[in-house]
Amino acid sequence: MKNFNITRRHFGMLAAGAAAVAALPFSARAAGGTAVAATFPGNWEDGYRKALTPILQQEGYGLTIAPAMAQDQLAKVMASPGNPPYDTLLMSPGQMATAIENDLIQKIDPSRLKNWGMLAPAFQGEYGPTVTIEVNGIAYNPDMVPKPKGYRDLFENPAYKGKVSWTGFASNTAVMAYSQIARIFGSGPTDMDAVFKLFRDNPEHLKGVVDSTNHQMTLFQQGEIAVFMCSTGNVARLKSLGMKAEFVQPETGSPAAPVNIHLTKGAKNLDAAYAYMDAAISKAAQDMLKMPPTEMFPTNKDVALTPSIEAYVTRDQLANMVYPDWAAINKNRADWIRKFDALVAG
């Protein structure tokens, strides 16, 4: 059993980041252990590897970034009780609630984080620090469509017909948008029957359904779509590639979600995991991550916002964002996924 556990963990490390590990000096890999950190793919993966690896190296630790969406992180940890493939997870409140309910993560010891005091109390969670606030809205190409006022516009203004892309309910970005659309066209944020009816009444929108936001980013770059539900980070990435992309906060408010690092129950490398967690909330890292192409909203209070981040959202506006009821979403999500998939499949 012991040999199997070691083999599985090493396999995960090799699959996720063998190249990055191989590039590290041996002393950096061996001195204090290596943290295996689950991180969202794409911009997050690249940004965290670039910003955090040098900081951990300086402190004698290695870092393996393992890209996986939050739902996939949960699935992999639940499949390996007592032997998690990651030391830390990166999640929003919806997945965090599921992880707590299933005893997959543990409370942290803030005294092990040098930068803990640089966070406002709202970002000091007992299950781990908030490293950014993901603000969501609508991305659009101003050369192809007018600036949308909000979600209602996308279904009622013919200028957007056939030019909008959507994805399924497994995506946090999507489910936050659908909750708002249910509020607009239905009786409240959980009235998804109203959303499904809206799609049936506007079948051109079903043609724009794809499997992920990354897929939508590709379609947007190719000019095959002009609008999709996004985070500010998606638009920052498109702009860094020279694309004509703009972000708009819907007139009904921008959905937002804190993004937190969690310590898995049974984490193998506690010292390295805490060093990684501390690096993620340090001024040095967040000063890098606030710049293009990531432009993550900093939670360290000593990190000033850039003009481009303030154009998306200011610190004062954070309180006015729309923060979904994740308990209600978690209760219904599996049913919504089944119904939406059946609708798309026809």
Side-chain angles (χ1 to χ4, degrees):
M1 185 66 185
K2 182 177 181 181
N3 289 338
F4 171 74
N5 290 344
I6 291 172
T7 300
R8 177 165 55 190
R9 186 166 184 79
H10 282 193
F11 174 78
M13 291 169 66
L14 287 169
V21 173
L24 296 176
F26 177 78
S27 58
R29 282 181 279 149
T34 294
V36 181
T39 310
F40 306 146
N43 236 12
W44 275 88
E45 173 189 354
D46 296 340
Y48 263 40
R49 183 173 289 130
K50 182 178 180 181
L52 305 187
T53 298
I55 297 176
L56 263 70
Q57 282 182 334
Q58 288 176 359
E59 299 191 9
Y61 298 103
L63 173 63
T64 295
I65 297 292
M69 298 303 292
Q71 288 292 114
D72 295 332
Q73 296 174 35
L74 268 180
K76 291 177 181 177
V77 175
M78 292 178 76
S80 305
N83 183 35
Y86 314 113
D87 295 308
T88 64
L89 306 177
L90 187 70
M91 293 179 168
S92 296
Q95 284 84 20
M96 180 184 75
T98 302
I100 294 172
E101 183 180 348
N102 288 275
D103 199 26
L104 303 177
I105 57 177
Q106 55 184 307
K107 294 181 180 179
I108 67 163
D109 176 1
S111 69
R112 300 190 65 169
L113 302 176
K114 298 188 296 291
N115 294 294
W116 186 251
M118 296 296 102
L119 301 177
F123 301 143
Q124 296 175 331
E126 61 180 348
Y127 282 94
T130 298
V131 294
T132 191
I133 298 288
E134 186 173 285
V135 176
N136 283 251
I138 302 171
Y140 71 101
N141 183 333
D143 286 347
M144 295 177 64
V145 292
K147 179 181 179 179
K149 295 176 184 176
Y151 303 113
R152 180 183 292 277
D153 224 12
L154 302 180
F155 290 91
E156 297 184 346
N157 186 336
Y160 303 106
K161 192 170 184 177
K163 297 176 181 174
V164 185
S165 177
W166 304 87
T167 190
F169 278 78
S171 160
N172 282 349
T173 296
V175 81
M176 287 193 283
Y178 292 141
S179 295
Q180 287 295 92
I181 295 169
R183 188 190 300 273
I184 296 167
F185 289 95
S187 60
T190 61
D191 184 8
M192 290 303 163
D193 286 341
V195 176
F196 301 144
K197 180 179 184 304
L198 197 60
F199 275 101
R200 282 194 293 270
D201 292 345
N202 297 271
E204 71 276 8
H205 283 278
L206 287 173
K207 297 177 183 176
V209 175
V210 296
D211 59 351
S212 69
T213 304
N214 285 337
H215 192 172
Q216 292 174 318
M217 297 271 282
T218 300
L219 295 177
F220 192 92
Q221 292 175 64
Q222 295 170 345
E224 295 182 44
I225 62 170
V227 180
F228 68 102
M229 308 311 107
C230 70
S231 68
T232 59
N234 298 132
V235 174
R237 175 65 175 169
L238 289 169
K239 285 186 172 182
S240 75
L241 297 172
M243 297 299 302
K244 279 292 191 71
E246 298 295 338
F247 175 84
V248 60
Q249 290 197 27
E251 58 189 349
T252 49
S254 281
V259 181
N260 310 296
I261 293 178
H262 303 295
L263 194 60
T264 54
K265 203 72 173 284
K268 305 293 189 304
N269 298 292
L270 275 180
D271 291 343
Y274 272 110
Y276 160 74
M277 199 177 286
D278 195 50
I281 58 173
S282 68
K283 184 176 187 301
Q286 295 205 354
D287 268 331
M288 287 184 65
L289 294 166
K290 73 179 183 181
M291 304 303 292
T294 46
E295 293 196 285
M296 293 181 188
F297 193 96
T299 53
N300 184 311
K301 61 187 179 183
D302 282 357
V303 179
L305 302 189
T306 65
S308 57
I309 289 179
E310 286 189 313
Y312 295 135
V313 60
T314 66
R315 283 198 162 97
D316 289 342
Q317 289 176 316
L318 283 184
N320 297 322
M321 301 289 105
V322 179
Y323 293 94
D325 180 348
W326 288 103
I329 290 173
N330 286 346
K331 180 180 177 182
N332 293 287
R333 196 167 191 162
D335 184 50
W336 293 340
I337 289 173
R338 282 193 299 273
K339 289 181 177 178
F340 188 74
D341 288 350
L343 179 65
V344 173

